[in-house]
Amino acid sequence: DVQLQASGGGLVQAGGSLRLSCAAFGLSFDDYAFCWFRRAPGKGREGVACLNIRDDLAYYGPSMRGRVIISGLRFKNAVDLQMNYLKPEDTAVYYCAADKVDSWTKDTPYDDYDFWGQGTQVTVSS
């Protein structure tokens, strides 16, 4: 079975950093694009960053652009999201998702992603 396991969330003060990790099991890592999304309380899902593993191309959403870096770690089949200069408005549950790279674009609808992880809570205090 395919599993995406998100980890690394926690409580951090404004201005701090966190590194999230999405470990992928049961799939061919290079055949997928991985994205991080988030859902803040009372808001809809929002794309944070995506990485096309095959082409090593990264895409960033407007809300955290310049403050996050997405990276693929082939040695452990994981996609990490380094988040810096965090703000209270970054408080959300962060999810990773994967979609076959052959059919994926940065505009792929949420419901079309093949696999989702369970989410990890990020809380930024002011």
Side-chain angles (χ1 to χ4, degrees):
D1 288 353
V2 174
Q3 288 188 29
L4 300 181
Q5 294 184 0
S7 61
L11 174 64
V12 65
Q13 287 187 330
S17 299
L18 279 176
R19 188 176 183 94
L20 307 183
S21 187
C22 175
F25 301 92
L27 55 73
S28 180
F29 192 66
D30 282 6
D31 290 341
Y32 283 82
F34 291 82
C35 293
W36 283 96
F37 298 93
R38 69 183 185 181
R39 175 172 277 170
K43 297 186 178 180
R45 272 179 294 191
E46 178 184 23
V48 176
C50 295
L51 180 65
N52 177 331
I53 297 295
R54 182 180 296 170
D55 299 330
D56 199 25
L57 292 176
Y59 304 87
Y60 294 94
S63 60
M64 299 191 78
R65 187 176 294 144
R67 299 188 291 124
V68 296
I69 299 173
I70 188 169
S71 56
L73 306 173
R74 284 188 171 85
F75 71 94
K76 60 175 183 175
N77 273 21
V79 175
D80 285 6
L81 184 71
Q82 177 67 41
M83 305 189 297
N84 303 315
Y85 307 107
L86 286 164
K87 305 174 183 179
E89 52 263 44
D90 295 322
T91 294
V93 179
Y94 286 70
Y95 300 90
C96 62
D99 194 46
K100 268 291 190 67
V101 70
D102 291 335
S103 57
W104 176 82
T105 73
K106 63 181 179 63
D107 299 316
T108 293
Y110 302 131
D111 291 341
D112 288 354
Y113 277 77
D114 293 329
F115 306 107
W116 286 85
Q118 82 284 9
T120 185
Q121 175 72 45
V122 171
T123 303
V124 185
S125 63
S126 57

